[in-house]
Amino acid sequence: MAEFLSLKDAVSRYISNGDTVCMEGFTHLIPFAAGHEIIRQEKRDLTLIRMTPDLVYDQMIGAGCAKKLIFSWGGNPGVGSLHRLRDAVEKGWPNKLEILEHSHAAMACAYEAGAAGLPLAVLRGYVGSDLPKVNDQIKFIECPFTGERLAAVPSVRPDVAVIHAQRADRKGNVLIEGIIGIQKEVVLAAKRSIVTVEEVVDDLGASVNACVLPSWAVTAIAEAPKGASPSYALGYYDRDNAFYKEWDGIARDRDTFQNWLKDNVFEKGAA
Amino acid sequence: MSLEFTASEMMSVTAARALTSDMTCFVGIGLPSEAANLARLTHAPDVTLIYESGTLQTKPDVLPLSIGDGELCESALTTVGVPEMFRYWLQGGHISVGFLGTAQIDRYANLNTTLIGDYREPKVRLPGGGGAPEIATNAKEVFITVKHSKRTFVKDVDFVTTVGFGRDGKARDNVPNIGRGPTVVITDLCILKPDPDTKELVVTSLHPNVTREDVIDATGWEIRFADHLDTTQEPSAKELDILRDLKARTNAHHSGQQ
């Protein structure tokens, strides 16, 4: 059964230096509050996996939490570059960052295979792309039935999955609504999971086919209102598009970034 | 009477016209999204728009800043998970057109959104592949829209993130279960299409007031022009009005003034 913890305790207990951590949420329900807690606790040498690194990983990479990033699209959506990610890749600041990149289709399949307990995912992908030349985790196999050449990638089976969801009930069952991304897959693929929620309620109010994670499939739940901001939580608050645009200026410069981190992360405790 | 319009508007309107109501279009963010929604709001009201965040048949009132804005989900027929999106709907063969943008494109319509320079020592690191590598091969055909410049239109891309026709124009030959690939490239200067035999991009239509020299100057290889070169039809007043309204609504929305 999922255990209700403070965000601080959940991060401290279940994320260790050197862990492979997937913080998911495909442009929606991005677990920013949890990311900030990881930064405050100065976790180091993490292998971070995420399809769309977004601002949350830009912040964590700039804060020095990561040694490796596995991803498929690393930008500030509709705005431009992730400057902290680029600074780490291009200049090794604040530390060298190893990267391994995929396509979205391959990563989505890799999460699904992880949830299914398989060692690999198979897809009709990467045809003609140079990505397999720079990522040794992309191989090609022959279908034993048709002979078709297909791409294969290892499944994602992280130490820890971190996601944000709209709500949990008091037993710890979790409801995710709207763009559900790969949240269910990542939780089922991981050894441990932390789910932050907008609120804890008596009744989830879930429809019969809703995306629900049963309490016994989740390790820890922490209440974190506005825990996905500046991304959004459908039914609770909108995406702060203005902040996404502002981030470009904040992240471009190392000093501006560090001041932002000090004022907005280090000097603010977990909710 | 001739209307006033910018080169960007010319590009968006021309790109929008490539879509029809019977198409199911997997839409990239940015210029493709602008063009696809303009098509939906003008001549192709029934075009099915799909974004990789899982939103099927979506009808946003403002253009999304990210691929997963709430607007896309709330105006969609339904929203599925990302693995389902790529496996069932794209790989499963339900997408007629993939509509993509790019940072670099070469003469064989290969796209680079990964980096400029060498992979281990990049001059400029770009976001990466995202959905494009599989959209380009699993959709039945691909439309590309991108601004025309020498930096963007290069002889050979630094990195093939997403295949057009490969380094030699033959990457799709004898590959089973693969789409036709890029069938049209729409820029702010012209329309290009692959040569049926060599697959090299050829200019088939110049936008109004654009000369051959303009295109030659903005292209990083010796660009060829079709024997029969068309002039692209100007945007209509209605197309321009709807495009400008859409952009004004979008700008107001994303700067927080709704």
Side-chain angles (χ1 to χ4, degrees):
Chain A
M1 299 298 275
E3 187 179 7
F4 284 92
L5 292 172
S6 69
L7 181 52
K8 192 174 168 189
D9 288 346
V11 167
S12 146
R13 195 173 305 176
Y14 293 116
I15 301 180
S16 305
N17 292 340
D19 274 355
T20 296
V21 181
C22 298
M23 304 181 66
E24 277 297 352
F26 197 85
T27 69
H28 174 219
L29 296 171
I30 299 174
F32 274 91
H36 291 179
E37 185 56 33
I38 291 169
I39 292 173
R40 272 192 295 273
Q41 294 190 20
E42 300 185 323
K43 301 290 182 188
R44 290 292 177 267
D45 298 323
L46 301 177
T47 292
L48 295 177
I49 305 181
R50 181 173 160 74
M51 291 180 68
T52 56
D54 200 84
L55 274 50
V56 67
Y57 276 11
D58 210 31
Q59 293 166 1
M60 292 171 67
I61 289 164
C65 301
K67 70 165 183 206
K68 183 173 179 181
L69 174 69
I70 302 177
F71 71 107
S72 43
W73 195 87
N76 181 345
V79 179
S81 293
L82 292 176
H83 298 291
R84 294 297 96 226
L85 166 58
R86 275 185 59 178
D87 203 15
V89 173
E90 294 170 19
K91 309 264 166 60
W93 191 93
N95 54 272
K96 222 173 137 262
L97 182 75
E98 190 191 336
I99 58 168
L100 206 57
E101 60 185 309
H102 281 285
S103 65
H104 278 350
M107 281 198 76
C109 290
Y111 275 119
E112 196 184 48
L118 288 170
L120 87 167
V122 175
L123 69 152
R124 187 175 287 129
Y126 291 121
V127 178
S129 172
D130 283 342
L131 284 165
K133 294 179 187 165
V134 297
N135 181 345
D136 63 6
Q137 301 281 287
I138 303 167
K139 309 278 190 203
F140 291 90
I141 59 169
E142 189 179 287
C143 168
F145 305 104
T146 64
E148 187 177 351
R149 184 176 183 262
L150 297 165
V153 293
S155 59
V156 174
R157 303 177 90 171
D159 295 309
V160 195
V162 182
I163 64 162
H164 187 75
Q166 275 93 350
R167 50 195 174 269
D169 66 19
R170 300 197 192 283
K171 290 182 179 154
N173 302 303
V174 172
L175 174 70
I176 308 166
E177 287 183 311
I179 290 173
I180 51 175
I182 48 274
Q183 279 99 316
K184 183 186 194 171
E185 287 79 7
V186 72
V187 166
L188 296 180
K191 295 191 187 92
R192 307 182 291 280
S193 57
I194 299 172
V195 180
T196 56
V197 294
E198 286 299 320
E199 58 177 341
V200 178
V201 297
D202 291 330
D203 181 358
L204 283 183
S207 68
V208 290
N209 296 113
C211 183
V212 172
L213 291 168
S215 178
W216 42 268
V218 173
T219 310
I221 295 174
E223 205 169 4
K226 290 215 84 178
S229 178
S231 84
Y232 72 104
L234 189 75
Y236 289 81
Y237 45 90
D238 291 335
R239 192 174 191 269
D240 187 352
N241 284 325
F243 182 79
Y244 271 81
K245 289 182 171 176
E246 272 169 48
W247 182 251
D248 192 66
I250 296 166
R252 205 174 271 274
D253 176 80
R254 290 176 187 172
D255 290 338
T256 320
F257 165 71
Q258 286 186 309
N259 288 332
W260 182 90
L261 209 58
K262 181 167 159 285
D263 294 344
N264 296 279
V265 179
F266 284 109
E267 291 185 359
K268 286 191 181 162
Chain B
M1 193 191 86
S2 189
L3 292 158
E4 294 224 356
F5 54 88
T6 66
S8 309
E9 288 171 335
M10 184 71 218
M11 171 166 59
S12 294
V13 167
T14 309
R17 287 177 187 155
L19 288 171
T20 56
S21 270
D22 58 355
M23 289 175 172
T24 302
C25 179
F26 203 112
V27 188
I29 210 73
L31 293 173
S33 176
E34 183 175 307
N37 282 288
L38 179 62
R40 185 176 59 77
L41 295 170
T42 52
H43 65 279
D46 295 325
V47 65
T48 299
L49 304 186
I50 291 182
Y51 288 73
E52 66 195 13
S53 52
T55 52
L56 288 180
Q57 207 168 318
T58 182
K59 300 178 173 185
D61 186 49
V62 297
L63 298 174
L65 187 65
S66 87
I67 205 85
D69 281 17
E71 176 78 13
L72 289 175
C73 176
E74 288 168 86
S75 65
L77 176 65
T78 186
T79 298
V80 301
V82 169
E84 179 178 329
M85 184 77 251
F86 281 97
R87 288 167 66 76
Y88 299 178
W89 299 97
L90 177 62
Q91 189 175 271
H94 298 279
I95 306 297
S96 51
V97 178
F99 211 148
L100 301 174
T102 187
Q104 263 191 348
I105 180 169
D106 68 18
R107 64 196 195 280
Y108 291 118
N110 300 302
L111 309 181
N112 174 17
T113 54
T114 302
L115 79 165
I116 308 298
D118 174 75
Y119 191 79
R120 299 291 162 203
E121 303 276 334
K123 264 192 271 180
V124 180
R125 179 63 229 196
L126 301 165
E134 281 75 25
I135 294 172
T137 52
N138 288 322
K140 302 228 170 9
E141 63 182 316
V142 178
F143 298 166
I144 297 158
T145 182
V146 60
K147 282 194 181 179
H148 215 129
S149 79
K150 252 196 170 114
R151 256 178 52 186
T152 304
F153 280 72
V154 296
K155 190 175 179 203
D156 296 288
V157 287
D158 292 8
F159 189 92
V160 180
T161 313
T162 299
V163 74
F165 299 100
R167 298 285 190 191
D168 58 0
K170 296 183 168 66
R172 288 174 193 263
D173 295 358
N174 306 314
V175 177
N177 304 309
I178 193 164
R180 290 162 65 201
T183 50
V184 64
V185 179
I186 298 126
T187 79
D188 49 347
L189 300 179
C190 63
I191 300 172
L192 306 98
K193 292 184 177 171
D195 178 284
D197 297 320
T198 67
K199 304 298 181 191
E200 186 173 321
L201 289 174
V202 175
V203 179
T204 58
S205 182
L206 289 174
H207 295 343
N209 309 316
V210 173
T211 65
R212 287 177 184 240
E213 285 64 39
D214 293 335
V215 177
I216 290 167
D217 289 347
T219 308
W221 71 89
E222 267 185 54
I223 185 74
R224 287 172 46 215
F225 294 84
D227 295 338
H228 175 79
L229 191 61
D230 287 326
T231 301
T232 319
Q233 195 191 339
E234 282 190 5
S236 70
K238 186 184 164 205
E239 284 168 325
L240 287 172
D241 281 351
I242 291 174
L243 174 61
R244 286 168 188 170
D245 278 356
L246 176 66
K247 293 189 80 162
R249 274 203 305 280
T250 299
N251 289 338
H253 182 85
H254 295 327
S255 54
Q257 316 141 11
Q258 292 184 36

